[in-house]
Amino acid sequence: MKYVRFVRTLFLFWRTMMSAPNEPSFRESVDMMFNRAVALMDLAPGLEEKIRVVNATYTVRFGVRLRGEIKTFTGYRSVHSEHMEPVKGGIRYALGVNQDEVEALGALMTYKCALVEAPFGGSKGGLRIDPREYNAQEMELITRRFAYELIKRDLINPSQNVPAPDMGTGEKEMAWIADQYARMNTTDINARACVTGKPTHAGGIAGRVEATGRGVQYALREFFRHPEDIAKAGLDGTLEGKKIIVQGLGNVGYHAAKFLRDEDNAKIVGIIERDGCLFDADGLDVEAAQKWLANHGGLAGYMDTHFDKDGAKLLEADCDILIPAALEAVINMTNADRIKAPLIIEAANGPITAGADEVLCDKGIVIIPDMYANAGGVTVSYFEWVKNLGHIRFGRMQRRHEESRHQLVVDELERLDRYLGDAWSMSPDFKRKYLRGADELELVRSGLDDTMRVAYQSMREVWHSRDDVEDLRTAAFIVAIGRVARSYTAKGL
Ligand code: NAD
């Protein structure tokens, strides 16, 4: 305990020294959170460092002929840990991409995969580009060239390194990458498994696009199944009617907000985007706002709801749940003490800096950490990779068999129905619902739901059973680091 207190004091001192605007970098932030957990563990000497450090980061600069000139781009692929292979992690397209960022995101991937028991090491890639500046044809040229550079070094490979979408990329880019790999590896029967997040017609899986947002919904549903945890956040009841503010209405933020509003009756009172925010205490129409954003590139001018140019200010507004789903470090030492939401779920990676994390925890705010909250994406990517290696759609073998067995039960119930007359009858919807075998989408959602529930329970168990673990993030790190450590130990390292 003395050692723990010492590390914590050291951390607080360091935090004060590094307070905004000189906060630690993203990677330092992740490492500090890692160190906080490791201080509570009993790892073999040197193992902590082996797990923490980034194995390798490859930087590539390549030229593409565009609009009559050669444009040079800089990209990265970082491999954090190869305790399991392939390593896995998205490819981000944004102007802010840099080595520190991909290394931080790669490290988070290692811990995330361990926490949700996806059998991968951690990796991440990025290209420094604003995709909005280029048309689809140009983006294809750039993506194929970047993929070529990574493929020839086995930094994209079904058994070694499998990317996925992240900020600024989606199905289109993944399809180009898969095709580029197939062209360069014409005899690889598993070529499609070199990347996940592909469209379904190009080897993708149903439910991958929605997966990360769906995972955020399942994470919140699981949280609200535990009255003790709800009370820790000072909340009560269910998700119904909860006031939610979402930052970033992209893939993750849009799906999370839409599902929570449409299926759990939560109220999306605020949406924050690049150019400002919308607020309506009666709740916003997520679908309509997203359409407006897609057509106009921003939220300004959207219908008659209140628009404010100062989007970041809305992070500090009163609400029940805050969902940062855009980018990292948006809650930092400059605004942490003004955050009012009692519950924050980190749909984005690293939205809270290490310093801000301490401030929020001291205020009693419960944070559902990124490595768990946004793990829906990698979970369904895992299913897609398995599907590609199996070369068969989930449910294809058993669906009709399942339906014919259910038919037997329904036939018997109908016989009983006739026999009992008015005394008993089947519920109106039972037959339709029971007879239908699960298709791929239902199986994917079921696998995702199970993953999110089991992972939450493993974090929660540590959170509630140890006096020295005060927050879910530390608990998540302890579970994840313990699993990675066991994996290294099993290898004899
Ligand atoms: P996206 O590009 O689809 O969406 C990001 C959204 O954030 C966009 O609408 C953009 O306009 C908005 N945005 C950008 N800067 C902003 C700012 N300063 N303020 C407010 N809004 C801003 O990206 P995404 O795939 O939804 O990823 C969002 C976050 O989720 C990232 O941190 C990413 O690493 C993480 N994540 C994504 C996935 C996935 O499957 N896509 C999986 C795990 C984690």
Side-chain angles (χ1 to χ4, degrees), residues 36-73:
R36 209 162 58 191
V38 153
L40 307 175
M41 300 175 75
D42 188 19
L43 294 182
L47 187 52
E48 164 272 334
E49 188 183 0
K50 176 68 210 87
I51 297 172
R52 179 175 40 78
V53 296
V54 176
N55 285 8
T57 302
Y58 173 69
T59 306
V60 59
R61 293 178 189 86
F62 58 89
V64 183
R65 183 171 286 281
L66 296 168
R67 304 175 197 176
E69 60 171 309
I70 294 176
K71 284 204 186 272
T72 302
F73 296 91

Side-chain angles (χ1 to χ4, degrees), residues 308-380:
D308 191 336
K309 270 192 177 152
D310 189 0
K313 197 89 194 127
L314 196 63
L315 289 170
E316 301 164 19
D318 261 324
C319 64
D320 297 311
I321 305 170
L322 179 61
I323 310 183
L327 63 170
E328 55 264 19
V330 292
I331 300 175
N332 49 52
M333 294 301 281
T334 66
N335 61 359
D337 59 340
R338 294 193 301 276
I339 300 292
K340 294 188 197 72
L343 176 63
I344 303 178
I345 177 159
E346 294 183 314
N349 281 306
I352 300 176
T353 63
D357 188 58
E358 283 276 317
V359 174
L360 299 176
C361 289
D362 287 349
K363 284 172 66 164
I365 293 175
V366 173
I367 300 166
I368 304 181
D370 48 5
M371 88 168 76
Y372 166 70
N374 66 37
V378 75
T379 301
V380 176

Side-chain angles (χ1 to χ4, degrees), residues 69-323:
E69 60 171 309
I70 294 176
K71 284 204 186 272
T72 302
F73 296 91
T74 304
Y76 305 88
R77 187 78 186 156
S78 176
V79 176
H80 174 259
S81 174
E82 289 150 297
H83 67 287
M84 282 195 191
E85 283 183 304
V87 293
K88 188 106 191 61
I91 290 184
R92 174 176 287 198
Y93 282 2
L95 277 178
V97 163
N98 58 58
Q99 181 169 345
D100 185 275
E101 184 185 71
V102 291
E103 290 187 350
L105 291 165
L108 278 176
M109 281 306 297
T110 296
Y111 310 131
K112 190 181 303 185
C113 290
L115 184 66
V116 296
E117 297 178 285
F120 303 124
S123 180
K124 200 81 181 190
L127 187 64
R128 201 179 295 155
I129 187 173
D130 183 350
R132 292 171 302 177
E133 283 181 17
Y134 300 92
N135 63 36
Q137 233 174 356
E138 292 170 330
M139 284 312 298
E140 179 174 351
L141 276 178
I142 298 164
T143 301
R144 283 187 183 274
R145 185 72 173 77
F146 183 33
Y148 170 82
E149 293 295 333
L150 299 182
I151 293 164
K152 72 180 184 191
R153 290 172 179 86
D154 285 333
L155 286 165
I156 296 179
N157 182 301
S159 56
Q160 277 175 270
N161 197 323
V162 182
D166 191 72
M167 209 164 122
T169 57
E171 287 188 326
K172 234 178 8 194
E173 288 76 13
M174 301 306 117
W176 291 329
I177 292 173
D179 185 63
Q180 187 64 33
Y181 181 88
R183 286 184 191 192
M184 293 167 71
N185 297 273
T186 49
T187 56
D188 187 345
I189 195 169
N190 293 320
R192 281 188 154 176
C194 77
V195 66
T196 57
K198 304 176 291 292
T200 42
H201 60 263
I205 194 167
R208 175 59 184 88
V209 176
E210 65 168 43
T212 311
R214 181 66 78 184
V216 171
Q217 176 198 31
Y218 288 165
L220 279 172
R221 282 186 179 174
E222 180 58 18
F223 179 87
F224 277 91
R225 282 192 193 101
H226 302 278
E228 239 181 312
D229 302 5
I230 304 170
K232 269 187 188 266
L235 292 167
D236 54 27
T238 63
L239 271 168
E240 182 157 357
K242 292 284 179 293
K243 290 174 285 164
I244 297 181
I245 293 177
V246 184
Q247 183 191 39
L249 206 59
N251 177 306
V252 180
Y254 163 68
H255 285 105
K258 176 179 148 71
F259 297 145
L260 288 164
R261 175 184 184 269
D262 296 352
E263 297 170 17
D264 296 292
N265 297 320
K267 220 191 263 182
I268 309 299
V269 295
I271 296 174
I272 309 168
E273 258 294 326
R274 288 177 207 261
D275 65 332
C277 63
L278 298 170
F279 182 82
D280 188 340
D282 294 330
L284 292 155
D285 181 341
V286 177
E287 203 94 37
Q290 200 272 339
K291 274 203 186 96
W292 182 273
L293 178 67
N295 292 333
H296 299 84
L299 294 174
Y302 171 70
M303 314 252 284
D304 52 356
T305 36
H306 304 285
F307 174 77
D308 191 336
K309 270 192 177 152
D310 189 0
K313 197 89 194 127
L314 196 63
L315 289 170
E316 301 164 19
D318 261 324
C319 64
D320 297 311
I321 305 170
L322 179 61
I323 310 183

Side-chain angles (χ1 to χ4, degrees), residues 377-404:
V378 75
T379 301
V380 176
S381 275
Y382 168 38
F383 302 155
E384 180 177 334
W385 181 72
V386 170
K387 173 186 175 179
N388 292 153
L389 295 180
H391 299 268
I392 189 163
R393 155 171 62 78
F394 288 113
R396 183 165 172 180
M397 299 292 280
Q398 61 273 53
R399 186 176 180 190
R400 304 300 165 190
H401 174 70
E402 203 181 293
E403 284 180 1
S404 57

